[in-house]
Amino acid sequence: MSHFDYSITAEPASFRERLAEIVSHKELLWMLALRDTLVRFKQTYAGLAWLILKPFLLLVALTFLFGRITRFDSTAAEPYALVVLAGLIPWQFLAASLTDITGSLNANRGIITKVYFPRILIPAASLFTAVADLIVALVLLVGIYAWYGYMPGWQLLALPFLLLLLFTFSMGIGIWMCALNAQYRDVQYLLPFMLQLGMYLSPVAYKSSQVPDEWLWLYHLNPVAGIIEGFRWCLLNGTSGFQWKVLGVSTLVSVVLLLSGLRYFYRVEKKLVDVL
């Protein structure tokens, strides 16, 4: 009787193979995104109306706090509500996507431990879930435009690039957070503090021009600042000025975060069943 020795090895999948696997599971991606969107508002009295109420109430609060009390509105050449909303749109998407993505693996541990599918679909679905908040915020922006009789300019053509940059940054940092949270639960408790601090360190309710000049270079190292100021330039006819260097820092950081985050996620993916 002959003797056979079998040696089975698994080489790391190439980027093309991983991408093809994700495309082949695209229906699952949409199902997960739809499920997460519906679950978020299940058994709530207002239901999907919270998509409108949340950004609107936050807009009113920030406009009153920074406009009426701190008098930041006195330096704005355009309606201050538009200044706040232009910064709130990317920030709200970032905060919502990070919150959903960070806890997504733990929330789906039952599926992960029973069925195989590309695990990257779970944080990706959470990103698409946050798109609903983004769409509603943009619709709210159109309403504010109409209220003030404000017309956007040619700068609006840059919106698709800025949205792509926002998605890249959110997904990049989100993948890092969810992979780390799968191993260290401290991350989910640290995230709310990080978002609260980040909101005040980013030009959400004010412009970067209101930061003291001696601190401006350090302030612009914050990649979120470049993204928010890019949105404000795009949505407010370029009145805030366009800073290529700041946006370049945001673009570079976003790409590095996404590539490194994917590499780390696929390394952690091999032991997800054990750590979850």
Side-chain angles (χ1 to χ4, degrees):
M1 184 175 180
S2 59
H3 177 72
F4 296 94
D5 292 327
Y6 293 96
S7 178
I8 301 176
T9 60
E11 295 295 330
S14 65
F15 174 78
R16 180 180 299 179
E17 291 172 336
R18 291 191 185 278
L19 183 60
E21 187 180 34
I22 293 174
V23 171
S24 66
H25 289 79
K26 58 182 180 297
E27 291 83 3
L28 177 60
L29 175 62
W30 305 130
M31 289 178 60
L32 289 172
L34 179 60
R35 182 206 61 178
D36 291 345
T37 302
L38 295 177
V39 167
R40 183 194 298 183
F41 303 103
K42 187 178 181 181
Q43 294 181 338
T44 59
Y45 184 77
L48 294 176
W50 279 114
L51 286 173
I52 301 175
L53 288 174
K54 185 171 66 173
F56 178 75
L57 294 176
L58 189 55
L59 171 64
V60 172
L62 291 179
T63 301
F64 177 78
L65 176 62
F66 287 92
R68 297 297 182 182
I69 297 180
T70 61
R71 302 305 302 172
F72 280 176
D73 59 344
S74 61
T75 62
E78 55 283 308
Y80 191 66
L82 284 176
V83 175
V84 175
L85 186 56
L88 195 59
I89 287 174
W91 177 259
Q92 276 291 95
F93 176 82
L94 176 63
S97 59
L98 281 184
T99 301
D100 292 340
I101 292 175
T102 299
S104 60
L105 292 179
N106 291 322
N108 290 276
R109 66 168 62 91
I111 304 176
I112 293 175
T113 56
K114 295 178 181 177
V115 181
Y116 174 77
F117 59 93
R119 311 306 193 201
I120 195 64
L121 293 182
I122 292 179
S126 298
L127 182 73
F128 281 105
T129 301
V131 172
D133 297 81
L134 180 63
I135 293 174
V136 171
L138 290 173
V139 172
L140 180 61
L141 177 68
V142 174
I144 301 295
Y145 276 158
W147 177 265
Y148 286 103
Y150 194 89
M151 288 296 294
W154 63 267
Q155 292 87 352
L156 198 63
L157 296 174
L159 185 60
F161 167 75
L162 291 169
L163 287 173
L164 178 61
L165 178 59
L166 177 62
F167 294 163
T168 302
F169 179 78
S170 302
M171 189 64 178
I173 193 171
I175 290 175
W176 270 105
M177 296 293 284
C178 78
L180 288 170
N181 188 56
Q183 302 179 90
Y184 314 105
R185 299 297 189 270
D186 308 72
V187 175
Q188 63 187 353
Y189 301 113
L190 182 63
L191 180 62
F193 170 76
M194 293 173 58
L195 290 176
Q196 186 176 18
L197 181 63
M199 184 173 180
Y200 292 105
L201 294 179
S202 303
V204 177
Y206 56 89
K207 297 182 179 181
S208 296
S209 58
Q210 293 168 308
V211 178
D213 293 340
E214 61 268 22
W215 295 105
L216 200 56
W217 67 273
L218 182 61
Y219 188 83
H220 282 160
L221 292 179
N222 175 9
V224 182
I227 296 175
I228 292 177
E229 286 297 346
F231 268 83
R232 190 165 281 139
W233 172 86
C234 172
L235 299 176
L236 300 181
N237 297 344
T239 55
S240 62
F242 190 79
Q243 303 183 51
W244 286 99
K245 292 182 179 180
V246 180
L247 193 63
V249 170
S250 300
T251 303
L252 179 61
V253 172
S254 299
V255 173
V256 171
L257 279 174
L258 180 61
L259 295 179
S260 60
L262 285 172
R263 183 174 182 179
Y264 181 70
F265 183 89
Y266 284 124
R267 189 170 65 182
V268 173
E269 183 184 29
K270 302 175 182 178
K271 51 183 179 181
L272 275 181
V273 175
D274 298 325
V275 299
L276 291 177

